[in-house]
Amino acid sequence: MNPAGAPGSLQRRLLLAAGLFLGVAVVAAGLSIGFVLHRFVRGQLDGRLDDRLLSLVSDLRGGPGALSLGRDRDGPPFDRPGSGWYWQIRRGDAVLGSASLDGRRLAVPALPARRRDPDAPAPADGTGPWGEGLILRVLTVPGPAGGPPTVFAAAAPEAALRGPVWEALRTLALCLAVIGVFLFAGVMLQVRLGLRPLRGLRDQLARVRAGRLDRLPERQPAEIRPLVAEMNALLDQNAAQLEHARGHVANLAHGLKTPLATLAMALAEPGADRDGSLAPLVEGMDRRIRHHLRRARAAALGGPARSRADLAAHVADLRLALTRIHAGREIAVATAIPDGLGVACDPQDLDEMLGNLVDNACRWCRGRVAVSARREGAQVVVRVEDDGPGLDAAAREAVLQRGRRLDESRPGHGFGLPIALELAELYGGSLALETSGLGGLAVRLALPA
């Protein structure tokens, strides 16, 4: 899930933008082609009507009072009454019309006084005798010797224009829709191919996180090569800082070894440790210092790469050791860990984290402890549960602080959970306290797989 305000999928944004622009382009192409098609069909109709007008002009006979044609001009479709295909000639009060007018008169609109070419037919729109819409072509020929002009008009029904145009537009819309679908499919393929290097980069980063790669490969597309270079620089910087920090730990451990050895020799003298409580503490401190020395040495030899620890094997060894330590309490430790499930961290660090968590569960339980683990994406989640008294929210926050103990009557120093938390965060994991299904406390430890 994306946090509030975070940008969405890059692939979805690219596809939405491509779909929007493709839709606009297809609609614009359809409108443009429709406009051109409309003008083409209108031009064909105008040319046909102009031919009719010129033939009428050439065949006109008669004077101002009577008009006639040299031959019949009422061939189809001008012979069907109400067809919308009409012609009419008017000179003064004399009117001659096509058979399709059936004796009616055609209302010819007045033409503009100023036209580009007064001697050529002019376009007009009108209404037929039966109320149908018409496309008109009108030609005005001046009369002889100052007589009235002769107005020639030829008409075609608007359906003759709309019908072919709509029929062509339906076919065009289907073709454009198919083209749009194929173009969008091509865009989808292009986006997936274009984003494939990013998915590969994500997998390579996961391999770096899991310890299978030290750095990202430098063979990358030119567009993401600067990003890879910055990531590798960050990895190198983190590795150098980690090596520097572990060097300080090694120096500190070396600095403590000599006084600790002196203290151990002093406690070994007769009467120095009367109740015998100091020697085990010195021995534990020496063991921890040796452990951190080994970690610093391993980091110096192996670099920043992480090792892999088999979770089931470590939990099995820990279970055996803790059941012996708490043998007097008859604690049942149940484990549910799949075989082959591993975590990308140092085995000794894993033992320290699990040891603190399971030991705390054994100390506070009534008799049952459960350790389970499962893979969740790029992490392995380990749950350590007990059937003890549990903790409320305030107490859970308090026990994660160093040296903070809620019950001073129980043995311990209050450092176990904070140490486990710091080690988990060192590896990019987390540690959280929850309510156990057994009734007590559940510790959720997340580590990189």
Side-chain angles (χ1 to χ4, degrees), residues 258-270 272 282:
T258 300
L260 189 62
T262 304
L263 180 59
M265 292 176 60
L267 290 176
E269 295 180 359
V282 172

Side-chain angles (χ1 to χ4, degrees), residues 123-175:
D125 295 324
T127 304
W130 287 272
E132 70 274 29
L134 298 178
I135 298 171
L136 295 169
R137 297 289 288 180
V138 182
L139 176 63
T140 302
V141 178
T150 304
V151 179
F152 297 84
E158 288 184 350
L161 174 63
R162 292 196 306 267
V165 171
W166 282 113
E167 183 66 27
L169 285 179
R170 282 194 293 267
T171 305
L172 175 65
L174 179 61
C175 294

